[in-house]
Amino acid sequence: MQVKNFGEELKKNSYPGRGIMIGKTADGKCAAIAYFIMGRSVNSRNRVFVEDGEGIRTQAFDPAKLSDPSLVIYAPVRVLGSTTIVTNGDQTDTVYDFLRDGKTFSDALFTRTFEPDAPNYTPRISALVETGDSFSYQLSILKSADGDPDSVRRFFFDYQNPQNGVGHFLHTYRCDGDPIPSFEGEPEPVAVCSDIDAFTTEIWDGLNADNKVSLFTRFIDLATGKTETRIVNKNQ
């Protein structure tokens, strides 16, 4: 598949929803992680990312406007040793607990399904990033079978020995709509630069100005394990 310009691909889609990108910087030195959220409703747009230990969590920007926290307040990023977990919901905690107990990423996600937000049935997207002895990552999407609330499809993608300058982008929605159509196909290959500020700006500027809410980016040095993180919130 053709490796695409990440920012330009984002500009083509007014509503990819929530998105995860995992890859390797062009200089080969770092693992690159991005997670963003978007929103159309007041409840979804009323959020910010805040640091929480080595990870992050979502938080209501204006607590008075928070109507239903069940699908909007969660920890998108948690870290367990040299493993970073990134998801678009509370399955972050499920994966963390399973890994801590010696089980696997897929073990955890086989206990979960898509979100119960009819009629969209938003997919649950997740990533597992390993930066210990070697660098690898996995991506997963749990989605309904063509909008059938009684049928779940679980897809897993495994990336070993990632290529320099290439990442894989997975998002919840194919595009805007009513109901919103779920993502289809394999994660999209996108180019990854070696400068975290340029990387962050490219993504944030590519996201639709009306619908974007928050962005988290992180580079993990593969030699030292040192992390560099950026958080951008529309609500400041």
Side-chain angles (χ1 to χ4, degrees):
M1 296 178 69
Q2 180 186 0
V3 177
K4 300 177 181 179
N5 181 289
F6 196 9
E8 292 305 313
E9 287 304 299
L10 290 171
K11 289 175 183 177
K12 295 176 184 177
N13 190 346
S14 65
Y15 202 63
R18 285 164 277 173
I20 297 172
M21 198 293 306
I22 311 295
K24 193 176 185 181
T25 55
D27 59 13
K29 294 181 179 180
C30 297
I33 298 172
Y35 176 66
F36 64 78
I37 58 175
M38 306 181 81
R40 300 191 306 178
S41 69
V42 171
N43 199 43
S44 292
R45 291 178 173 181
N46 179 39
R47 290 183 289 174
V48 292
F49 286 164
V50 296
E51 292 184 290
D52 186 13
E54 294 181 278
I56 61 168
R57 58 185 169 85
T58 61
Q59 179 176 285
F61 176 65
D62 182 352
K65 293 181 179 179
L66 181 64
S67 58
D68 178 8
S70 62
L71 295 176
V72 296
I73 302 300
Y74 56 93
V77 179
R78 294 187 69 180
V79 177
L80 182 64
S82 60
T83 301
T84 303
I85 305 157
V86 187
T87 91
N88 71 326
D90 63 11
Q91 74 268 27
T92 311
D93 299 331
T94 305
V95 174
Y96 183 95
D97 291 344
F98 269 64
L99 294 179
R100 187 184 54 192
D101 293 341
K103 299 177 183 178
T104 68
F105 182 60
S106 59
D107 287 338
L109 294 174
F110 266 93
T111 70
R112 303 303 302 268
T113 185
F114 48 84
E115 295 183 355
D117 60 337
N120 297 316
Y121 301 113
T122 299
R124 289 190 187 272
I125 57 173
S126 308
L128 190 74
V129 185
E130 299 282 3
T131 55
D133 295 334
S134 61
F135 171 43
S136 64
Y137 56 92
Q138 298 177 64
L139 290 166
S140 171
I141 183 168
L142 315 179
K143 54 185 289 188
S144 71
D146 302 315
D148 183 346
D150 298 317
S151 182
V152 60
R153 293 174 178 172
R154 297 182 176 90
F155 299 89
F156 295 87
F157 307 90
D158 192 290
Y159 301 90
Q160 301 291 323
N161 301 315
Q163 296 173 288
N164 293 357
V166 179
H168 291 90
F169 175 40
L170 183 61
H171 45 102
T172 52
Y173 304 128
R174 192 166 69 248
C175 57
D176 207 343
D178 190 16
I180 318 173
S182 295
F183 179 89
E184 293 181 350
E186 294 185 23
E188 301 162 356
V190 294
V192 181
C193 67
S194 301
D195 181 281
I196 191 170
D197 290 316
F199 176 68
T200 304
T201 298
E202 177 185 15
I203 300 169
W204 188 249
D205 288 352
L207 293 169
N208 179 271
D210 293 329
N211 295 324
K212 64 185 179 183
V213 175
S214 295
L215 169 65
F216 162 89
T217 60
R218 174 169 290 172
F219 279 9
I220 305 173
D221 189 296
L222 296 174
T224 66
K226 181 181 178 181
T227 63
E228 194 171 4
T229 300
R230 302 288 186 269
I231 292 174
V232 184
N233 292 306
K234 187 174 182 179
N235 294 312
Q236 296 289 356

